[in-house]
């Protein structure tokens, strides 16, 4: 009975069994592991490894609760080399399934086998097999109908199994691992496949081709691995892999660190893809706080947050400068008639120049506003902890030499090429940053409506907006409940001047419903500021005067990230001089 209850903690589904068994095989030094499952693992899980095996006399012991061969010292609970330490996985699995375990230990002529039927141990018999361990787990939860009920469809269970296998395969890049479902091959990952090959196999070649390697040490901690280009963004954080001392972990704070590093490069509600490995002396990690060992507690979680954020951010700065257009090269052949698509590649890193102190500039386009907030004008001070700006592309000529084409783009000469700027995207970014500064300085102006405007929303959405009322008020958006799904809007941020109140609220609702969890105040704020910036910015097809062009170019120089609009799209494209010369046959 005790075993069954304990199993509930660790063993939720076939994937949990597989995780525990794989960890045992790895602890046994296995170099190849074969996994066979049937019906998503509910009928059969068979794991065969070539590790050091189990002595016949220890076979029964392996199934006894809290019997582990791995615990050597009390303060040694979270060791680098070993995955398991609780000594209860096998006992738990034996209690809720029909298990056959066969093993031949290193240096033994014959092996031995034992059965565990829901906690009933058989006697140990000789077994003739190769060195290593072979475990079959059949009819999971056959004696725990309540648990069995919680199993989902076979394809869902297979999905969880694949994830468990992926995590192990990524954490141990020299492990040969094979997964079959109902005798069909799912993955075969040879030991020669390195980390990036594994990423390609599991997540696609597109991701593999857009990875940047990360490497950073700070004190006793080391960060390494890969991050993907912002273009690889996903709708959830599942593809942010994090491994601590070779073990996959879940850590919300470090997830935030990754997202924070990508800020401004991803659209709202989108998530970066990353494969990060942290190595840390075990004494800086607190002992297991979670039975599945997926969650840990760090002695200095803030230092790790900074390690991850700066490691990722610095690498993005280094890699992700202005996307550059590369023209198709016709090596000596006739020019191709059909235009090939432009290929966007990264520009090599340029030297870093320290950012100038930002100054206040009123937005280019004014709306009739009234300052509600009477905070004295003050120069916003730059937070010294802020991450450095990306290296700038220096302009060759005075900014006013930019010209406008198609009333939409600005073209300007740079030190080694030509820059084409999307006027709307750039202005949007500039206004976004100004708004952020003004917000921080408490200077966001409110526009009060003479008559509050009623806005009808579907019931649940109205409730969500009302729940976020306090946060919205901070942002200058004053709402009241009018009942029956109607919300009264009485004031909104003045910069939104031209936007209709209904559109503003719709944007907020979008934010609220497209998040799994309620958006944080910061997310809401960023979204609102991005919306304001978008509404107030010059549009495509807006003719600009020479003064406006000069002002835009001057402010571009002062922007923290002039390369991306608040939604993460590029603001400009660089044509290098070299590329032009190549195309004209000069070099
Ligand atoms: P833990 O891994 O925490 O020690 P488990 O219940 O997972 O506890 O395993 C109990 C013991 O069984 C292990 O300590 C190990 O000695 C032995 N064992 C389990 N699986 C294997 C395997 N594949 N190869 C060798 N020994 C194993
Ligand atoms: Mg174990």
């Amino acid at each position: 009975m005790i075993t069954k209850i304990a199993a509930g903690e660790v063993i939720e589904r076939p994937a949990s069994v597989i995780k525990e068994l794989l960890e045992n095989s790895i602890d046994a030094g296995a170099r190849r592991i074969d996994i066979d499952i049937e019906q998503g693992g509910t009928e059969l899980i068979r794991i065969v490894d070539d590790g050091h095996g189990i002595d016949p006399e220890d076979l029964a012991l392996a199934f006894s609760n809290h019997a582990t061969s791995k615990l050597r010292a009390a303060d040694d609970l979270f060791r680098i080399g070993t995955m398991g330490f609780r000594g209860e996985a096998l006992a738990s699995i034996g209690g809720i399934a029909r298990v056959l375990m066969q093993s031949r230990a290193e240096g033994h002529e014959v092996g031995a086998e034992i059965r565990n039927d829901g906690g009933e141990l058989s006697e140990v018999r000789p077994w003739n097999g190769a060195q290593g361990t072979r475990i079959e787990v059949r009819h999971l939860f056959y004696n725990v109908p309540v648990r069995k009920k919680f199993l989902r469809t076979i394809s869902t269970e297979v999905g969880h199994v694949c994830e468990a296998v992926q995590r192990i395969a990524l954490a141990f890049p020299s492990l040969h691992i094979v997964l079959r479902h109902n005798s069909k091959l799912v993955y075969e990952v040879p030991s020669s496949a390195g980390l990036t090959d594994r990423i390609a196999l599991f997540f696609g070649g597109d991701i593999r081709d857009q990875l940047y390697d990360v490497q950073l040490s700070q004190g006793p901690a080391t960060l390494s691995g890969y991050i993907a280009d912002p273009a690889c963004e996903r709708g959830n954080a599942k593809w942010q892999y994090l491994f601590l001392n070779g073990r996959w972990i879940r850590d919300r704070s470090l997830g935030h660190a990754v997202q924070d590093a990508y800020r401004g490069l991803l659209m709202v509600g989108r998530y970066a893809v990353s494969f990060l490995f942290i190595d840390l002396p075990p004494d800086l990690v607190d002992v297991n706080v979670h039975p599945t060992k997926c969650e840990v507690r760090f002695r200095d979680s803030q230092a790790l947050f900074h390690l991850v954020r700066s490691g990722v951010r610095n690498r993005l700065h280094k890699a992700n400068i202005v996307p550059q257009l590369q023209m198709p090269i016709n090596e000596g052949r006739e020019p191709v008639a059909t235009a090939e698509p432009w290929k966007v590649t990264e520009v090599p890193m340029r030297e870093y120049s320290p950012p100038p102190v930002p100054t206040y500039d009123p937005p280019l386009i004014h709306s009739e506003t009234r300052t509600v907030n009477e905070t004295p004008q003050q120069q916003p001070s730059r937070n010294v902890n802020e991450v450095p700006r990306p290296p700038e592309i220096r302009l060759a000529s005075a900014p006013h030499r930019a010209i406008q084409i198609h009333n939409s783009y600005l073209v300007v000469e740079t030190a080694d090429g030509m820059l084409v700027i999307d006027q709307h995207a750039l202005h949007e970014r500039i206004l976004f940053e100004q708004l952020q500064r003004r917000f921080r300085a408490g200077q966001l102006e409110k526009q009060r409506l003479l008559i509050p405007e009623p806005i009808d929303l579907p019931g649940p959405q109205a409730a969500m907006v009302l729940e976020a009322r306090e946060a919205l008020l901070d942002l200058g958006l004053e709402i009241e409940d009018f009942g029956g799904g109607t919300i009264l809007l009485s004031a909104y941020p003045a910069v939104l001047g031209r936007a209709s109140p209904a559109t503003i609220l719709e944007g907020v609702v979008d934010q609220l419903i497209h998040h799994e969890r309620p958006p944080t105040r910061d997310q809401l704020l960023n979204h609102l500021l991005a919306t304001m910036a978008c509404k107030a910015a010059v549009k495509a097809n807006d003719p600009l005067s020479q003064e406006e062009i000069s002002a835009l170019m001057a402010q571009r120089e002062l922007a923290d990230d002039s390369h991306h609009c608040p939604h993460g799209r590029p603001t400009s494209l660089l044509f290098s001089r070299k590329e032009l010369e190549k195309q004209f046959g000069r070099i």
Side-chain angles (χ1 to χ4, degrees):
M1 196 60 205
I2 289 162
T3 311
K4 277 199 228 167
I5 293 166
E9 282 189 294
V10 186
I11 308 299
E12 254 180 295
R13 51 173 21 122
S16 345
V17 174
I18 288 178
K19 170 186 182 287
E20 294 295 335
L21 297 182
L22 289 179
E23 290 184 351
N24 283 345
S25 295
I26 284 166
D27 285 346
R31 282 174 307 165
R32 175 178 175 142
I33 306 176
D34 284 74
I35 309 154
D36 271 279
I37 58 171
E38 279 171 23
Q39 306 304 103
T42 56
E43 282 305 300
L44 169 73
I45 296 168
R46 183 191 304 119
I47 303 226
V48 181
D49 73 43
D50 61 355
H52 59 53
I54 308 171
D55 279 1
E57 57 269 28
D58 291 338
L59 214 51
L61 206 63
F63 279 116
S64 65
N65 222 340
H66 298 291
T68 170
S69 60
K70 298 166 193 169
L71 201 64
R72 279 164 210 124
D75 63 350
D76 199 21
L77 279 178
F78 199 100
R79 273 149 306 133
I80 300 180
T82 312
M83 311 286 293
F85 51 80
R86 292 169 65 92
E88 62 185 33
L90 275 186
S92 300
I93 296 166
I96 49 163
R98 297 184 199 279
V99 182
L100 168 65
M101 183 157 79
Q102 304 167 313
S103 191
R104 178 151 76 84
E106 202 174 2
H108 281 60
E109 290 283 298
V110 280
E113 67 172 35
I114 188 170
R115 283 178 191 278
N116 186 344
D117 268 353
E120 296 269 310
L121 284 188
S122 75
E123 60 187 41
V124 177
R125 293 191 197 90
W127 175 69
N128 252 322
Q131 185 198 309
T133 304
R134 186 175 184 279
I135 299 186
E136 283 184 4
V137 178
R138 289 184 189 271
H139 313 308
L140 188 64
F141 299 136
Y142 79 98
N143 56 352
V144 202
V146 198
R147 299 239 112 227
K148 202 172 167 101
K149 262 212 324 250
F150 280 107
L151 291 176
R152 312 302 277 273
T153 61
I154 286 174
S155 61
T156 303
E157 295 305 333
V158 172
H160 286 289
V161 170
C162 287
E163 263 177 44
V165 171
Q166 287 168 5
R167 288 169 190 162
I168 292 284
L170 292 172
F172 298 92
S174 58
L175 183 71
H176 184 155
I177 193 162
V178 183
L179 172 67
R180 279 183 223 93
H181 180 227
N182 295 343
S183 306
K184 277 223 256 348
L185 187 68
V186 182
Y187 295 132
E188 162 125 40
V189 191
S191 59
S192 58
L195 183 55
T196 50
D197 299 320
R198 288 168 191 235
I199 292 172
L201 178 72
F202 297 140
F203 311 104
D206 279 3
I207 299 250
R208 191 250 330 265
D209 296 342
Q210 300 182 73
L211 292 177
Y212 306 115
D213 61 312
V214 173
Q215 182 71 49
L216 182 66
S217 290
Q218 267 173 15
T222 306
L223 175 75
S224 62
Y226 293 94
I227 55 170
D229 193 272
C232 303
E233 51 154 37
R234 297 288 133 160
N236 59 53
K238 257 197 184 160
W239 292 27
Q240 287 176 2
Y241 283 81
L242 190 62
F243 299 88
L244 172 70
N245 294 343
R247 175 182 302 161
W248 178 84
I249 58 160
R250 215 180 352 234
D251 189 280
R252 190 177 283 189
S253 156
L254 296 181
H256 286 316
V258 171
Q259 281 299 108
D260 213 39
Y262 276 83
R263 182 177 294 182
L265 302 175
L266 298 170
M267 299 210 202
V268 180
R270 305 293 288 174
Y271 294 83
V273 174
S274 59
F275 308 91
L276 295 173
F277 296 77
I278 295 176
D279 282 297
L280 202 59
D283 58 326
L284 297 181
V285 186
D286 275 349
V287 282
N288 59 319
V289 291
H290 194 264
T292 60
K293 297 159 267 163
C294 293
E295 278 164 33
V296 295
R297 203 176 288 139
F298 299 108
R299 291 270 146 84
D300 190 351
S301 55
Q302 222 164 350
L304 280 178
F305 182 93
H306 286 295
L307 173 77
V308 170
R309 190 179 60 177
S310 46
V312 174
R313 190 71 179 171
N314 293 348
R315 189 61 181 91
L316 285 169
H317 280 169
K318 203 170 123 192
N320 197 38
I321 311 174
V322 184
Q324 184 181 28
L325 288 188
Q326 197 172 61
M327 308 201 188
I329 299 166
N330 314 310
E331 286 141 351
R333 280 177 275 119
E334 287 293 307
V336 270
T338 53
E340 277 183 53
W342 300 110
K343 199 172 151 242
V344 178
T345 54
E346 58 175 288
V347 180
M349 186 182 164
R350 262 151 257 248
E351 68 195 74
Y352 170 71
S353 55
V357 179
T359 52
Y360 260 154
D361 285 299
L364 286 182
I365 290 177
H366 287 276
S367 46
E368 286 301 318
T369 57
R370 182 167 71 91
T371 306
V372 179
N373 227 330
E374 302 291 26
T375 323
Q377 285 270 340
Q378 49 175 215
Q379 192 75 14
S381 62
R382 178 174 282 271
N383 182 349
V384 284
N385 293 327
E386 259 174 43
V387 284
R389 300 194 310 147
E392 279 303 319
I393 303 279
R394 263 183 287 286
L395 301 177
S397 50
H400 66 263
R401 284 195 38 203
I403 58 159
Q404 188 188 34
I405 58 170
H406 299 299
N407 286 338
S408 300
Y409 304 101
L410 306 177
V411 181
V412 67
E413 185 185 346
T414 69
D416 64 353
M418 174 181 96
L419 207 53
V420 182
I421 296 169
D422 179 327
Q423 66 187 34
H424 170 71
L426 174 61
H427 195 203
E428 206 179 358
R429 162 55 67 177
I430 291 168
L431 291 181
F432 177 69
E433 291 187 7
Q434 285 177 357
L435 287 170
Q436 277 185 325
R437 277 180 229 133
R438 283 161 64 177
F439 177 78
R440 284 188 210 124
Q443 291 167 348
L444 215 52
E445 297 125 5
K446 253 195 257 181
Q447 176 107 43
R448 195 163 288 283
L449 292 163
L450 275 179
I451 305 161
E453 172 132 357
I455 296 158
D456 293 325
L457 291 172
Q461 296 189 3
M464 272 193 266
V465 173
L466 286 166
E467 264 171 42
R469 194 172 148 181
E470 295 287 299
L472 295 175
L473 189 63
D474 276 359
L475 309 177
L477 212 58
E478 273 186 44
I479 54 165
E480 264 175 76
D481 188 8
F482 193 62
T486 302
I487 282 175
L488 287 183
L489 182 70
S490 49
Y492 61 90
V495 225
L496 289 172
R498 291 186 292 186
S500 82
T503 321
I504 299 167
L505 263 190
E506 270 162 27
V508 172
V509 170
D510 265 1
Q511 275 300 294
L512 295 171
I513 57 180
H514 283 132
H515 274 85
E516 281 170 35
R517 276 175 250 114
T520 62
R521 198 172 151 282
D522 265 9
Q523 283 170 330
L524 259 183
L525 171 72
N526 275 338
H527 171 78
L528 266 184
L529 296 185
T531 310
M532 294 181 200
C534 180
K535 303 285 176 211
V538 293
K539 303 282 175 297
N541 298 319
D542 279 355
L544 299 183
S545 70
Q546 200 55 54
E547 288 72 45
E548 284 174 313
I549 295 174
S550 302
L552 253 184
M553 295 307 294
Q555 291 180 42
R556 177 176 188 276
E557 297 277 274
L558 301 176
D560 284 336
D561 176 3
S562 61
H563 307 308
H564 298 90
C565 80
H567 305 101
R569 287 184 290 273
T571 60
S572 53
L573 299 167
L574 177 76
F575 295 76
S576 76
R577 184 169 175 181
K578 211 164 151 208
E579 201 51 56
L580 292 173
E581 285 170 351
K582 214 187 280 171
Q583 290 301 313
F584 286 116
R586 288 174 170 274
I587 52 168

